[in-house]
Amino acid sequence: MRELRVDPIQCQGRGLCAAAAPALVSLDEWGYPLLADGTREPITSADERAAKRAVRACPRLALALSPR
Amino acid sequence: MLTTAQRPRLLTSTEPGWHAHIRAHGPLPPWPAAPSNRLLLEVEAAGLRGRGGGWFPTAAKMRAVMTASHNGGGPAVVVANAMESEPASLKDATLLAASPHLVLDGLVCAAQAVWAQEAILCLPQDNPAVPVVASALAERSSRGADPLPIRLVCPPHRYLSGEESALVQWLNGEEARPSMGKPYAAGVQGRPTLVQNVETLAQLALIVRHGAAWFRSAGTQAATGTTLVSVSGAVNRPGVVEIGVGTSIVEIVNRCEGVSAPVQAVLTGGYGGAWLPAALGELPWSPEDLAAHGGSAGAGVLVLLPGDSCGIAETARAVSYLAEQGAQQCGPCRFGLSALAAHMHEIAQPATSPFDQRGAAHLSSRIRGRGACRLPDGASRLADSALEVFADELSAHRRGQCSGGRQVLPTPRRKGLA
């Protein structure tokens, strides 16, 4: 299964990932993305398009979708 | 297999010079003429695990470095880590001051195991062992004792400057901040880098001399050998003791001439560790036994909290220290950890305002696993364990009472990165 990963050093909480894929990414009280496993979240094939949208939305290039 | 009266292996020498070292331990076997994996196999058979806090199998780490080296990473670098960031830990400084040559032997052996061509020892500027290590290095180079150069460097002493990736960053000329990089694959100057705690290296120097079976004759099945524990707080003789892994907490305390006051709880592992109730005194000191009860062997820190201390206030001070020592890189840690510290301080005050410890538990869960390094996870675990172990203290605070204000946890003034 693919994984959505955030690089917590690059991430500055701009929040565009959550705007691009609201069903997939929610933000904490400081505006940083909440992923299931801290910095990672397994992505089902149904969610892949949303995950790619979130990745593309990040101006910091902090999000990545692991290769299949 | 629990060793009750394990004889010291590391802390045998009272004199740090070369002759005393050779008298106590004998010379190292000669450096092999061709690359060989004999040493690595011996380390694997011995079951050596890292004593810097993670208890990660040393042989696995060596293999990862060698694989990266073979796959185009080039010659490896070995780094001896004596940064000893945990404020209540003094085992690494104690070991280096007593047996610098054992550590340096271990560094040479680690270099041999991964076929490295460069070795670096990192010791904080303010460490009293610096002159001892410097003269030990001079003794060795005048004897031509080592087949490769060993460099002593002194990074700034902060909580994170000993974190593996941060140390590598510093060695590469950057600020000592954790990175997402993997030192075993691309560390110092981009080369595969083996970073090992100095106690681990000293153990390695003994494995090379006496073999895996001898090493395993102390310790537990899962965590072999002896280990150093820094004991402080309510004990009669605070200091560093060497025990067989699996020795009970009570026995460790007896080695320090017993408790100096009634004890309500113990801090295990360090500020990246966890509190345990004093009732668990019979628990064996091993990573597995401690973890099974929510504790941590970590970097070998054991602090006894006396009855007239407030566990919540002590934890609040420790979490504040961690918050100010953070690298200020990752948002959840940067914002969450200072919020957690503030919340802990609030609930440490008896009944000044209505409070809710669920707020602290929430903040703690918010920072866990969300940083580039393990600092937020450690702070989260420490806070969670405090909320559990000091539940009665929290109830007393709601009634306007508190156990007392005695402070036992050190919070050294170290310049943060903020």
Side-chain angles (χ1 to χ4, degrees):
Chain A
M1 193 178 282
R2 301 181 83 174
E3 254 184 1
L4 188 62
R5 294 177 189 163
V6 62
D7 176 337
I9 298 178
Q10 288 308 317
C11 175
Q12 294 198 337
R14 303 277 174 88
L16 298 183
C17 51
L24 199 60
V25 183
S26 58
L27 302 177
D28 68 13
E29 46 268 68
W30 308 287
Y32 293 86
L34 282 164
L35 301 184
D37 189 14
T39 56
R40 299 153 173 256
E41 176 156 319
I43 297 294
T44 62
S45 49
D47 284 335
E48 264 185 32
R49 282 182 60 182
K52 282 178 185 161
R53 268 202 314 275
V55 168
R56 274 198 305 272
C58 181
R60 302 275 310 162
L61 307 180
L63 278 174
L65 190 60
S66 68
R68 215 183 304 266
Chain B
M1 162 191 14
L2 296 187
T3 42
T4 46
Q6 178 60 48
R7 275 204 209 165
R9 293 171 168 182
L10 299 172
L11 298 180
T12 52
S13 171
T14 47
E15 205 268 294
W18 176 261
H19 292 293
H21 168 67
I22 295 297
R23 262 200 312 279
H25 300 289
L28 269 184
W31 182 271
S36 137
N37 66 351
R38 246 187 54 205
L39 209 158
L40 192 142
L41 293 175
E42 198 69 27
V43 172
E44 195 156 57
L48 178 63
R49 291 164 66 185
R51 304 300 203 247
W55 291 82
F56 189 80
T58 303
K61 213 167 169 181
M62 289 173 163
R63 262 187 218 288
V65 169
M66 287 175 80
T67 305
S69 218
H70 288 310
N71 293 339
V77 178
V78 287
V79 175
N81 189 350
M83 294 308 294
E84 193 149 55
S85 60
E86 280 290 345
S89 176
L90 20 100
K91 71 175 182 81
D92 295 335
T94 304
L95 173 65
L96 273 171
S99 300
H101 285 294
L102 200 59
V103 172
L104 294 168
D105 280 358
L107 183 54
V108 170
C109 294
Q112 184 189 325
V114 299
W115 216 246
Q117 288 173 11
E118 193 186 341
I120 305 168
L121 193 152
C122 298
L123 185 59
Q125 288 151 352
D126 57 358
N127 196 302
V130 169
V132 182
V133 172
S135 62
L137 282 171
E139 278 182 291
R140 296 172 83 95
S141 81
S142 73
R143 285 189 159 69
D146 296 322
L148 82 170
I150 300 177
R151 197 151 54 93
L152 171 65
V153 300
C154 298
H157 200 189
R158 294 193 295 258
Y159 192 79
L160 281 177
S161 53
E163 197 272 342
E164 200 169 297
S165 67
L167 190 55
V168 164
Q169 291 269 90
W170 190 85
L171 287 167
N172 284 335
E174 309 282 324
E175 285 262 37
R177 286 189 165 98
S179 75
M180 297 298 282
K182 299 178 176 74
Y184 67 82
V188 177
Q189 292 153 29
R191 281 145 63 192
T193 301
L194 178 72
V195 183
Q196 292 288 353
N197 167 264
V198 286
E199 182 194 338
T200 315
L201 292 172
Q203 301 281 14
L204 175 61
L206 294 177
I207 290 169
V208 167
R209 288 175 165 94
H210 307 294
W214 169 87
F215 188 75
R216 299 187 81 101
S217 69
T220 65
Q221 199 65 32
T224 49
T226 64
T227 194
L228 300 177
V229 183
S230 308
V231 191
S232 61
V235 283
N236 286 318
R237 197 174 51 82
V240 177
V241 292
E242 182 176 359
I243 56 155
V245 178
T247 303
S248 76
I249 293 175
V250 163
E251 226 176 296
I252 296 172
V253 172
N254 287 341
R255 293 271 306 276
C256 299
E257 293 170 16
V259 298
S260 60
V263 169
Q264 52 168 321
V266 294
L267 176 65
T268 60
Y271 296 177
W275 292 102
L276 289 179
L280 288 174
E282 294 300 331
L283 204 60
W285 186 272
S286 85
E288 283 67 33
D289 291 293
L290 289 165
H293 291 82
S296 158
V301 167
L302 175 63
V303 186
L304 284 76
L305 189 74
D308 58 351
S309 286
C310 171
I312 299 294
E314 286 298 275
T315 306
R317 291 197 307 112
V319 173
S320 281
Y321 170 81
L322 292 174
E324 95 195 12
Q325 289 287 314
Q328 316 300 331
Q329 295 190 114
C330 308
C333 181
R334 195 167 137 214
F335 295 102
L337 198 46
S338 50
L340 176 62
H343 211 98
M344 292 299 294
H345 279 291
E346 200 171 303
I347 62 175
Q349 298 293 325
T352 49
S353 60
F355 66 78
D356 180 0
Q357 77 260 25
R358 280 176 304 183
H362 166 76
L363 287 167
S364 169
S365 73
R366 270 293 190 252
I367 61 174
R368 200 175 310 138
R370 297 181 66 205
C373 74
R374 295 276 162 216
L375 184 142
D377 309 22
S380 165
R381 179 164 58 174
L382 181 70
D384 285 354
S385 72
L387 296 174
E388 196 182 315
V389 172
F390 304 117
D392 289 348
E393 182 75 46
L394 284 167
S395 309
H397 285 194
R398 274 191 218 97
R399 298 190 303 271
Q401 295 158 354
C402 179
S403 294
R406 189 164 155 202
Q407 299 188 346
V408 294
L409 297 186
T411 49
R413 277 173 196 278
R414 292 175 185 163
K415 200 171 160 287
L417 281 165

